[in-house]
Amino acid sequence: MTRRFVLATRNEKKRVELAAILGQALGEDVEVLTAADLDLPEVAETGVTFEANALLKAHSAAAASGLPAIADDSGLAVDVLGGAPGIFSARWAGRHGDDAANLRLLLDQLADVPDEHRGAAFVCAAAYVGPDGAERVHRGRFTGRLIRSPRGDNGFGYDPIFVPEGEERTAAELTAAEKNARSHRFLALTALAADLPPALR
Amino acid sequence: MTRRFVLATRNEKKRVELAAILGQALGEDVEVLTAADLDLPEVAETGVTFEANALLKAHSAAAASGLPAIADDSGLAVDVLGGAPGIFSARWAGRHGDDAANLRLLLDQLADVPDEHRGAAFVCAAAYVGPDGAERVHRGRFTGRLIRSPRGDNGFGYDPIFVPEGEERTAAELTAAEKNARSHRFLALTALAADLPPALR
C-alpha cells in the first residue's frame, strides 16, 4: 500500500535521500511530495535547536498541505566550534544553500586547527506532524572528523570534508547506500518511522 | 619607574587599549613595545582555547625579544553558536583581521535568530610570560547581546553590534574610558597585573 506525505524541503538531493531511507524504514511504498511540488510557503527558521526548526517546518507543511508532513533539520556540529555551524550550516557563509561557499568558509576558519582537534558530527532532527497536529521528533548523530580539502562527488553540503568514524573515505566518497545505512538522517528517520502514529506506520 | 614589556600584537588599536589598561592596573609608567615594533615572527595560533593561544603568543614574543611579554587572545562567544566565533573571531569570514567582513558574516548567520536568543559575551584570556619562562594566564568576560545593525565608531571588531548588559549603547558608542572600565580585556588584564611576578608588578 502506498503512503503519501509531504516532505518540507525544496532540496531535490535531500528528497531522494529521505525518500530512500523512509521507504526502507517503513517497508512499504512511499510517495513523497515536496514543498516545491506543492509550492508551500517558505518558513522562517527561527528556532535555536534542530528539533525546534524541524517541528516548525513540519507544522507549516502539514497546515499548508493538509497532508502528514515530515521535515528534517540537519547540520554539522564541529567540536572546536562548540557545535557550530549547527542549525546555521546551510547559511554559514551568509546566504542560504551555497554549499561550496559554506564548505570553503569552514575550511578557512579551521585552517590553523590541528588534526587532533578536528572532530565533528552531522546531526539530524527528524520531525513528523500529522493533519491532526500530532507531533514526533527524533535525533540522529553521525560522528567523524574534518579533513583539509574536499574529496568526492556524492552527497552534498559538507560531505566532501567529513570522514566518518572508522572510514578513510569522505561521506562524499561513500555510495548513497553506504551513507544511508549509517547517516544522521538514517538514524533520525529510522527512529521517527518506528514512532509514527499507526495510520502512517 | 618605567616598566618595559612587549605586547604580542600587531594591532595598533589593541596596543592603545592594552597600554591604557595596564598603566592603570600597574599604577606606574608602562612602556609597551609591540610585535610590530620589534618585527617579531608571526605565530600560528594552533591552540583551541583562548588561554592556549594567549600563552603561545606570549611565549613566542618573550623568546624572540628577551623581554617580559604579555599577550591576549580575545573573541566573541555567541550563545546560540555554542561559543563561536570564539577563538576564531578575527578570522570568522576566512581572512585574518577583516573586521567589516567578520561582522557582516555574523549578522547574516544570525539573521533569523530572534532577540531573546541573541546573548553573547566578549571573552579575553591575558597571558604573561617572563624571560625566565614563568607564566600566568587570566580570563575576563563582558556580557551583553547582539543587535541587527552596527552602531558607533569607537572600538573595533564586533563592538558596533554588541550592547553590554545594562546598556542601551553599543560597545562602539562607549568612550574608551567607559569600555576600558568594564571590558573583558580590562577584567583579564587587571587580574593578570595583580598576579605578575614581583619584578614586573
Side-chain angles (χ1 to χ4, degrees):
Chain A
M1 172 185 152
T2 298
R3 292 290 185 185
R4 235 171 141 224
F5 58 89
V6 59
L7 201 57
T9 182
R10 293 173 172 275
N11 183 320
E12 178 58 18
K13 287 188 180 178
K14 208 184 254 192
R15 188 189 67 76
V16 172
E17 190 170 308
L18 292 179
I21 297 170
L22 281 169
Q24 192 181 334
L26 293 172
E28 59 190 328
D29 280 344
V30 166
E31 185 187 348
V32 178
L33 302 169
T34 69
D37 298 332
L38 300 176
D39 199 25
L40 300 183
E42 291 280 348
V43 187
E45 299 181 20
T46 53
V48 295
T49 62
F50 292 111
E51 283 79 2
N53 283 331
L55 283 167
L56 273 175
K57 289 186 269 189
H59 272 288
S60 170
S65 68
L67 292 170
I70 290 179
D72 87 309
D73 198 52
S74 306
L76 180 67
V78 177
D79 294 351
V80 81
L81 292 175
I87 58 169
F88 305 99
S89 294
R91 68 180 307 156
W92 197 233
R95 291 190 304 124
H96 252 289
D98 188 341
D99 281 8
N102 291 335
L103 185 154
R104 172 52 45 202
L105 174 61
L106 184 65
L107 285 181
D108 287 347
Q109 289 169 329
L110 303 183
D112 284 344
V113 176
D115 290 345
E116 67 268 31
H117 291 294
R118 297 179 75 89
F122 279 117
V123 176
C124 173
Y128 163 85
V129 171
D132 57 349
E135 58 178 51
R136 304 281 190 278
V137 62
H138 288 270
R139 179 178 279 224
R141 236 179 117 78
F142 188 23
T143 58
R145 63 191 167 81
L146 300 179
I147 57 172
R148 295 174 185 276
S149 40
R151 290 200 321 249
D153 298 314
N154 304 331
F156 54 95
Y158 300 92
D159 284 349
I161 56 169
F162 179 82
V163 174
E165 225 168 75
E167 265 296 332
E168 292 303 320
R169 293 174 298 172
T170 67
E173 292 174 317
L174 303 180
T175 64
E178 285 173 323
K179 182 181 164 193
N180 290 353
R182 57 183 293 208
S183 75
H184 52 309
R185 263 191 212 97
F186 169 76
L187 296 170
L189 281 164
T190 304
L192 182 68
D195 186 35
L196 289 178
L200 206 101
R201 185 169 53 211
Chain B
M1 173 185 152
T2 298
R3 293 289 184 188
R4 235 172 141 222
F5 58 89
V6 60
L7 200 57
T9 182
R10 293 174 173 271
N11 182 320
E12 178 59 18
K13 287 187 179 177
K14 208 183 254 194
R15 189 189 66 76
V16 172
E17 190 170 308
L18 292 178
I21 296 169
L22 280 168
Q24 192 182 334
L26 293 172
E28 59 190 329
D29 279 343
V30 166
E31 185 188 349
V32 178
L33 303 169
T34 69
D37 298 332
L38 300 175
D39 199 24
L40 300 183
E42 291 280 347
V43 187
E45 299 181 22
T46 54
V48 296
T49 62
F50 291 111
E51 283 80 1
N53 282 332
L55 284 166
L56 271 176
K57 290 186 269 189
H59 271 289
S60 169
S65 68
L67 292 171
I70 290 179
D72 88 308
D73 197 52
S74 307
L76 181 66
V78 177
D79 294 351
V80 80
L81 292 176
I87 58 170
F88 305 99
S89 294
R91 69 179 308 155
W92 197 233
R95 292 191 303 123
H96 251 288
D98 188 341
D99 281 8
N102 291 335
L103 185 154
R104 172 52 44 200
L105 173 62
L106 185 64
L107 285 181
D108 287 346
Q109 290 168 329
L110 303 183
D112 284 344
V113 176
D115 290 346
E116 67 268 31
H117 292 294
R118 298 179 74 91
F122 279 118
V123 176
C124 173
Y128 163 86
V129 172
D132 58 350
E135 58 179 51
R136 303 282 189 279
V137 62
H138 289 270
R139 179 179 278 224
R141 236 179 117 78
F142 189 22
T143 58
R145 61 191 167 81
L146 301 179
I147 57 172
R148 294 175 186 276
S149 40
R151 290 200 320 249
D153 298 314
N154 304 330
F156 53 95
Y158 300 93
D159 284 349
I161 56 170
F162 179 82
V163 175
E165 224 167 76
E167 265 295 333
E168 292 303 319
R169 293 174 297 172
T170 68
E173 292 174 318
L174 303 181
T175 65
E178 286 173 323
K179 181 181 165 192
N180 290 353
R182 56 183 294 207
S183 76
H184 53 308
R185 264 192 212 95
F186 169 77
L187 296 170
L189 281 164
T190 304
L192 182 69
D195 186 35
L196 289 178
L200 204 101
R201 183 167 54 210

